[in-house]
Amino acid sequence: MPGKVINYYAGGNTAKGFYDLFESNMQELETIYLLKGGPGTGKSTMIKKLADTWVQQGYNVEQIHCSADNDSLDGLIIPALQFGIFDATAPHVLEPKAPGAIEQYVNLEIAWDKTKLKENKDEIAELQTKISTAFQSAYDCFAEGLHIHDYLEEIYINEMNFDKANQVTDELIQKILLDKTSIHGNGIVRHRFFGASTPEGVVDFIPSITEELTKRYFIKGRAGTGKSTLLKKIATNAEESGFDVEMYHCGFDPESIDMVVIRELGVCVFDSTDPHEYFPERQGDEIVDLYEQTITPGTDEKYESDITYYTKSYKQRMKDGITYLKEAKALHDKLEAIYIDAVDFAVIDEIYLTIYNELERLARG
């Protein structure tokens, strides 16, 4: 019987630039491969092939997706084998903590025909510059969007009953964690993204992440109604009770939290508002509406014109940013084509086989 797959991001294109959470997800791994090599060296293909193979062998896996390319993977974790393999090239440069003992570099650049690459060095340099410029333009747009979004938050913050918000938060914490402690007692926190701004728009993996959970709390509200604060408090209390916690950051503002998963309890609590708006669809799903419970009635109507203006403005900045991500992807595809033409894939296949054999050894114990 095939294993289960959880999909998420460990890096995102955000209003704070590229935001890297990879190392948080490498905790407790005992065998880590860090793939080094430029575009077109088969890193994502290798990771996908390993994922597909080991899922079919019945192992649960975590697939870490690439926010710059919707069809690529940046990493794979097989928890049962304490194994991980990651694309360790920019913008998520990963360095070993215990070289050789836990992590080892895999240099895919040995498969390059460097003569061919030198023939195209000017075009390569030009494309690299254009790609960097496109990404920076995207980040600038997202930063402008976040600045506008702050005005939207301010409207609701000024109409918020903070005592009531604290009461709602405390009641939810009691409901989830009252008299419960972890049987494992690790209290490990892993930081991730459930979604990202990508060349194909905003994407999320909430259904994949929450598929096996029995209780899902859908937090409804508006900007500034305390959703992230509530989630952070739940995460802190869960960690103090010894539970492992998955904290999913906001792909727009990575300093905010959009979801907390306490897998041992089968529970998640998440910000279920646009652009990741979901509604209850199965037993165990429950809405917690912060707007209804904590904001002065009639706020939406009172500030309707300002809310409409700020919402439209920040969403336009987001769309502009995604246009630049699409441009960066098109440029990267051109760069990748140059490198693919210079790669000896027989060498890559040999490297894949070496890693696969190591996994076989780990599986045998």
Side-chain angles (χ1 to χ4, degrees):
M1 182 176 169
K4 300 287 185 183
V5 180
I6 293 177
N7 299 289
Y8 59 87
Y9 296 92
N13 301 305
T14 80
K16 311 286 186 184
F18 182 81
Y19 207 83
D20 181 349
L21 298 171
F22 275 80
E23 287 195 13
S24 170
N25 294 285
M26 295 162 69
Q27 297 176 81
E28 297 198 307
L29 300 182
E30 291 295 330
T31 305
I32 296 172
Y33 285 91
L34 302 175
L35 302 180
K36 294 288 187 178
T41 48
K43 298 185 294 294
S44 175
T45 301
M46 185 181 293
I47 293 168
K48 281 182 185 173
K49 194 173 171 184
L50 287 168
D52 292 344
T53 301
W54 288 88
V55 166
Q56 289 308 311
Q57 292 189 34
Y59 285 86
N60 295 339
V61 307
E62 298 173 8
Q63 293 187 149
I64 301 173
H65 289 252
C66 174
S67 57
D69 183 344
N70 295 74
D71 296 324
S72 288
L73 291 181
D74 277 345
L76 166 69
I77 293 172
I78 307 177
L81 301 179
Q82 293 180 289
F83 171 89
I85 181 168
F86 305 91
D87 179 343
T89 55
H92 34 79
V93 178
L94 300 172
E95 299 296 343
K97 298 286 188 295
I102 296 176
E103 307 96 344
Q104 49 189 302
Y105 281 128
V106 180
N107 181 15
L108 301 178
E109 295 177 6
I110 61 172
W112 282 343
D113 180 341
K114 290 182 181 171
T115 304
K116 281 188 178 180
L117 293 178
K118 283 178 182 176
E119 290 169 1
N120 294 286
K121 65 180 181 181
D122 292 340
E123 187 179 359
I124 289 170
E126 184 182 356
L127 284 168
Q128 293 279 25
T129 300
K130 287 181 177 178
I131 290 168
S132 295
T133 301
F135 273 117
Q136 189 55 55
S137 296
Y139 301 148
D140 290 345
C141 287
F142 296 151
E144 287 173 25
L146 183 58
H147 183 64
I148 296 166
H149 193 267
D150 287 342
Y151 292 117
L152 191 61
E153 285 193 347
E154 196 173 328
I155 291 171
Y156 291 103
I157 289 169
N158 290 335
E159 297 289 341
M160 187 170 181
N161 182 329
F162 287 94
D163 289 338
K164 183 62 177 173
N166 289 332
Q167 182 186 332
V168 171
T169 300
D170 291 343
E171 287 173 358
L172 188 53
I173 289 169
Q174 291 287 307
K175 197 183 286 191
I176 295 169
L177 292 165
L178 182 63
D179 298 328
K180 293 172 185 166
T181 54
S182 172
I183 58 171
H184 304 301
N186 291 328
I188 291 172
V189 180
R190 293 176 174 85
H191 296 267
R192 304 169 171 174
F193 296 98
F194 64 57
S197 295
T198 78
E200 293 180 17
V202 177
V203 174
D204 76 68
F205 290 115
I206 290 171
S208 165
I209 293 164
T210 67
E211 182 183 1
E212 298 291 298
L213 304 177
T214 53
K215 185 67 183 179
R216 302 190 300 176
Y217 292 97
F218 296 63
I219 307 300
K220 300 292 183 180
R222 309 289 190 272
T225 52
K227 300 185 296 295
S228 177
T229 301
L230 177 150
L231 289 163
K232 287 175 182 175
K233 286 181 179 178
I234 290 171
T236 298
N237 279 268
E239 183 187 2
E240 288 172 354
S241 298
F243 291 102
D244 287 356
V245 177
E246 297 165 24
M247 289 183 74
Y248 292 84
H249 292 242
C250 173
F252 177 38
D253 176 5
E255 291 172 7
S256 288
I257 300 299
D258 273 352
M259 177 159 69
V260 171
V261 174
I262 311 165
R263 211 162 281 279
E264 188 179 334
L265 296 178
V267 171
C268 81
V269 188
F270 73 101
D271 178 341
S272 181
T273 58
D274 184 63
H276 34 79
E277 187 170 24
Y278 287 83
F279 294 93
E281 59 182 11
R282 66 192 199 210
Q283 189 175 0
D285 287 354
E286 183 178 333
I287 286 176
V288 178
D289 193 329
L290 291 177
Y291 177 79
E292 189 179 83
Q293 296 189 65
T294 69
I295 301 297
T296 306
T299 294
D300 279 351
E301 294 76 14
K302 182 179 178 182
Y303 299 97
E304 184 179 2
S305 61
D306 284 347
I307 290 167
T308 300
Y309 173 76
Y310 291 135
T311 300
K312 186 177 178 182
S313 298
Y314 99 79
K315 285 188 173 183
Q316 185 58 52
R317 295 284 83 74
M318 295 301 294
K319 286 179 183 175
D320 293 343
I322 285 166
T323 300
Y324 284 116
L325 292 181
K326 194 174 289 187
E327 180 186 323
K329 170 67 167 60
L331 291 163
H332 189 271
D333 287 348
K334 291 181 181 179
L335 183 65
E336 197 169 60
I338 295 170
Y339 278 89
I340 287 171
D341 190 48
V343 172
D344 181 349
F345 283 99
V347 174
I348 303 295
D349 289 342
E350 286 176 21
I351 294 171
Y352 171 84
L353 192 58
T354 300
I355 297 171
Y356 179 84
N357 289 339
E358 173 63 13
L359 264 171
E360 288 262 273
R361 187 188 68 76
L362 290 172
R364 287 194 301 269

